[in-house]
Amino acid sequence: MAIDKSAGILTRRGLLKSTGALTALASTGLAGKLTAQEPISVAGIYTVPVEQQWVSRIHVAAEAARAAGLITYTYSENTANTDYPRVMREYAESGAQLIVGEIFGVEQEAREVVLDYPETAFLMGSSFMPDEAYPNLGVFDNYIQDASYLSGIIAGAMSETGNIGMVGGFPIPEVNRLMHAFMAGVKESKPEATFQVSFIGSWFDPPKAKETAFAMIESGADMLYAERFGVSDAAQEKGVLAIGNVIDTQADYPETVVASALWDFGPTLAAALAKVGDGSFSAENYGTYSFMKEGGCSLAPLGTFEGKVPQEALDMVAAKEAAIKDGSFTVEINDEEPKSS
């Protein structure tokens, strides 16, 4: 049986301070509906440690829901893709009502499992859209292109050379779209900017990300896009700036990380729990709950960089954010692999 942890605690980066997830759950009215019944049994299956950026957002939202009494929660981390279908089956057999995780590396194998457990709801990060052939499989992704675009505006304004280094995990849609949005934002405030783009071929290899970032700094980058852990360490050591992704790491890099595009999985989980609770869970795209207008993403506070970002850039960020929220401006979703310029 896969290792379960029902009350895992993260001690770094303040990941359990996700008031956004609790707020999102409460704002749906879900708390009142679900606390009157038995908590929903939720299991998480993650291929990386729960402190990894992307997975941490799912884990934090689940922990918030557990603390609110809405769910019971167990999880397995560092699950190899070859073991993923087996762990899915084990949780389904154990009675989990909702299984969450990420199946990017096991898309077809996971779907075979889903069909064997029609009474279990599966909410999985996926590169594909929902398919009615798998009615109990809801898919999602971190569509935080809105916040990435805004962080790009700040990055462009803070870069003196306009040479921007970008280090990603893999060139897949969920990474590509954020990079493109960031690059578009940079161009708003620094039209002449150029980009160094590289992928390290791993979701969690901080040393490799750090070495890649060092090479970019050597090639003139004075601003780094830290899609992976390790990039901000390189920026800090070399005295250049960085933009964070998915979580706010400024507390760890107070003189380095200017801003971050944050993902809050709370709205996504709240929507799924509501449907599991009333029996209406089906094959749907839950990715839209990551949009800024849904409360699924935001720009982190400037914190230590308050007063250091040019006012012109801040005014542009405020105007664009308002337009995104009222629907008058849409950040393009471009899933193609970004290239160096």
Side-chain angles (χ1 to χ4, degrees):
M1 179 67 182
I3 297 174
D4 294 344
K5 300 178 182 179
S6 60
I9 298 175
L10 301 180
T11 58
R12 296 198 63 204
R13 310 183 194 283
L15 293 182
L16 292 184
K17 298 178 181 178
S18 179
T19 55
L22 281 169
T23 301
L25 290 166
S27 67
T28 62
L30 180 63
K33 295 177 183 177
L34 294 183
T35 51
Q37 56 186 270
E38 287 294 315
I40 292 172
S41 173
V42 176
I45 311 173
Y46 311 122
T47 61
V48 293
V50 290
E51 73 172 355
Q52 187 259 14
Q53 299 107 299
W54 196 89
V55 161
S56 75
R57 308 320 297 159
I58 304 171
H59 180 66
V60 166
E63 285 285 8
R66 181 190 62 78
L70 305 180
I71 67 173
T72 61
Y73 174 52
T74 61
Y75 68 92
S76 300
E77 58 185 334
N78 292 315
T79 302
N81 284 331
T82 52
D83 287 336
Y84 209 94
R86 174 183 61 80
V87 179
M88 289 175 67
R89 292 183 184 280
E90 289 175 351
Y91 278 128
E93 292 285 351
S94 70
Q97 295 167 274
L98 174 66
I99 298 177
V100 299
E102 9 97 30
I103 57 173
F104 301 107
V106 288
E107 295 280 2
Q108 188 53 48
E109 297 92 333
R111 282 168 171 74
E112 293 173 5
V113 175
V114 164
L115 289 179
D116 289 340
Y117 299 94
E119 300 303 314
T120 304
F122 294 85
L123 179 64
M124 294 290 176
S126 171
S127 296
F128 297 92
M129 287 293 102
D131 186 341
E132 292 183 357
Y134 307 93
N136 56 325
L137 174 61
V139 297
F140 69 90
D141 207 347
N142 61 324
Y143 283 86
I144 63 170
Q145 65 280 345
D146 299 329
S148 296
Y149 171 82
L150 298 181
S151 72
I153 294 175
I154 292 175
M158 294 295 285
S159 172
E160 295 182 3
T161 67
N163 187 329
I164 313 293
M166 305 181 67
V167 181
F170 293 91
I172 61 174
E174 28 285 325
V175 175
N176 298 343
R177 72 176 66 106
L178 305 188
M179 285 189 162
H180 277 295
F182 173 81
M183 295 163 79
V186 169
K187 288 287 190 178
E188 293 282 9
S189 54
K190 187 80 70 176
E192 71 278 14
T194 59
F195 302 91
Q196 301 178 58
V197 181
S198 184
F199 298 91
I200 63 172
S202 172
W203 291 130
F204 196 73
D205 191 343
K208 189 172 183 179
K210 185 177 181 179
E211 289 302 316
T212 303
F214 277 147
M216 291 179 172
I217 296 170
E218 288 294 319
S219 296
D222 71 344
M223 171 67 73
L224 299 176
Y225 176 71
E227 199 271 328
R228 294 291 98 197
F229 278 165
V231 176
S232 294
D233 293 291
Q236 180 173 252
E237 288 187 27
K238 295 298 184 179
V240 303
L241 300 177
I243 297 292
N245 179 59
V246 176
I247 64 175
D248 186 0
T249 59
Q250 193 184 78
D252 293 309
Y253 310 97
E255 303 303 319
T256 302
V257 175
V258 183
S260 298
L262 307 182
W263 181 33
D264 188 343
F265 191 69
T268 305
L269 182 59
L273 290 177
K275 292 178 183 295
V276 171
D278 66 17
S280 65
F281 189 90
S282 62
E284 295 181 40
N285 176 22
Y286 285 80
T288 56
Y289 292 100
S290 292
F291 285 22
M292 183 168 281
K293 64 182 180 181
E294 299 291 343
C297 70
S298 62
L299 195 62
L302 292 177
T304 56
F305 281 86
E306 194 73 46
K308 299 178 184 179
V309 178
Q311 188 59 46
E312 182 179 359
L314 296 180
D315 291 342
M316 185 184 299
V317 167
K320 292 293 188 180
E321 181 174 354
I324 289 169
K325 290 181 176 179
D326 68 22
S328 60
F329 176 72
T330 301
V331 176
E332 180 185 6
I333 297 176
N334 184 348
D335 288 346
E336 296 179 2
E337 180 177 345
K339 304 293 185 180
S340 298
S341 57

